[in-house]
Amino acid sequence: MTYYSTILTLHIVSAGIWLVGLFSDPILRGFIVKNRNKIGEKKFIHLYLTLVNFFGMIGSIGILITGITMVSLSSDYGFFQMSGNHWLTAKQILMVAILVLIGVFLIPTAKKIRAAMGEDLESNSPISNEGYTNLNKLFKITTAINVMVAINFLFAITHRYFFS
């Protein structure tokens, strides 16, 4: 049982890390929008891409590994069981959707933005219109992911009160 408690704690910590990304996202976006076509804009975009990648990677991998481990260790829970624990099935479906968004849309779009910025973050050369288009696309993707993360978090903290 101690092992399960440790995994649960790591699961909660991973969720917290992912939530930090969720809350820092609009702040960093504001800096990017406010500094469009100004010196330092590329640094803000680079910081945004780095933090989205860092918090998202640690949070999603941590949640995925610890979630799978907890379900595997528990006889009360299962994978995609609609007959019981609907809240958990909804969380699992949302997690699959998040992973698809990350793999199919977020990562390729972030790579395009990095290519549009170039290697030199100190240069004053503007980002191409295609770079801004991809940046706006990335904002929409991260918004969708953040909404799903928030819903998953709400399922996790409310399931004992509403879904038992």
Side-chain angles (χ1 to χ4, degrees):
M1 195 49 101
T2 304
Y3 182 67
Y4 186 85
S5 299
T6 303
I7 298 298
L8 177 62
T9 302
L10 290 173
H11 193 72
I12 292 168
V13 168
S14 296
I17 290 169
W18 215 349
L19 289 173
V20 168
L22 183 140
F23 291 117
S24 64
D25 182 74
I27 296 167
L28 291 171
R29 279 189 207 188
F31 285 126
I32 292 169
V33 170
K34 190 166 72 169
N35 289 291
R36 184 173 177 160
N37 294 323
K38 294 181 183 175
I39 296 174
E41 171 194 35
K42 289 182 179 181
K43 288 183 180 179
F44 284 121
I45 294 171
H46 177 73
L47 178 64
Y48 178 80
L49 292 173
T50 302
L51 287 179
V52 165
N53 183 33
F54 179 73
F55 291 128
M57 196 168 39
I58 291 175
S60 63
I61 291 171
I63 290 286
L64 186 64
I65 291 170
T66 57
I68 290 171
T69 304
M70 286 190 313
V71 169
S72 299
L73 291 174
S74 175
S75 59
D76 297 332
Y77 303 125
F79 294 105
F80 303 102
Q81 290 181 342
M82 290 303 286
S83 59
N85 299 314
H86 299 93
W87 63 274
L88 182 59
T89 303
K91 284 176 60 63
Q92 292 167 347
I93 291 169
L94 283 171
M95 186 64 184
V96 169
I98 289 168
L99 293 174
V100 168
L101 281 174
I102 289 170
V104 174
F105 297 106
L106 188 131
I107 292 172
T109 304
K111 286 181 180 180
K112 289 177 187 175
I113 294 168
R114 287 191 190 278
M117 285 191 331
E119 294 293 321
D120 187 14
L121 297 177
E122 299 292 332
S123 76
N124 293 333
S125 61
I127 297 171
S128 66
N129 286 335
E130 181 183 347
Y132 284 117
T133 301
N134 283 319
L135 188 60
N136 287 327
K137 181 180 176 183
L138 184 75
F139 288 163
K140 290 175 185 173
I141 296 165
T142 55
T143 298
I145 290 170
N146 287 340
V147 166
M148 287 188 254
V149 167
I151 292 169
N152 252 351
F153 180 73
L154 291 174
F155 276 135
I157 63 171
T158 63
H159 77 274
R160 287 187 174 87
Y161 307 111
F162 297 114
F163 303 109
S164 49

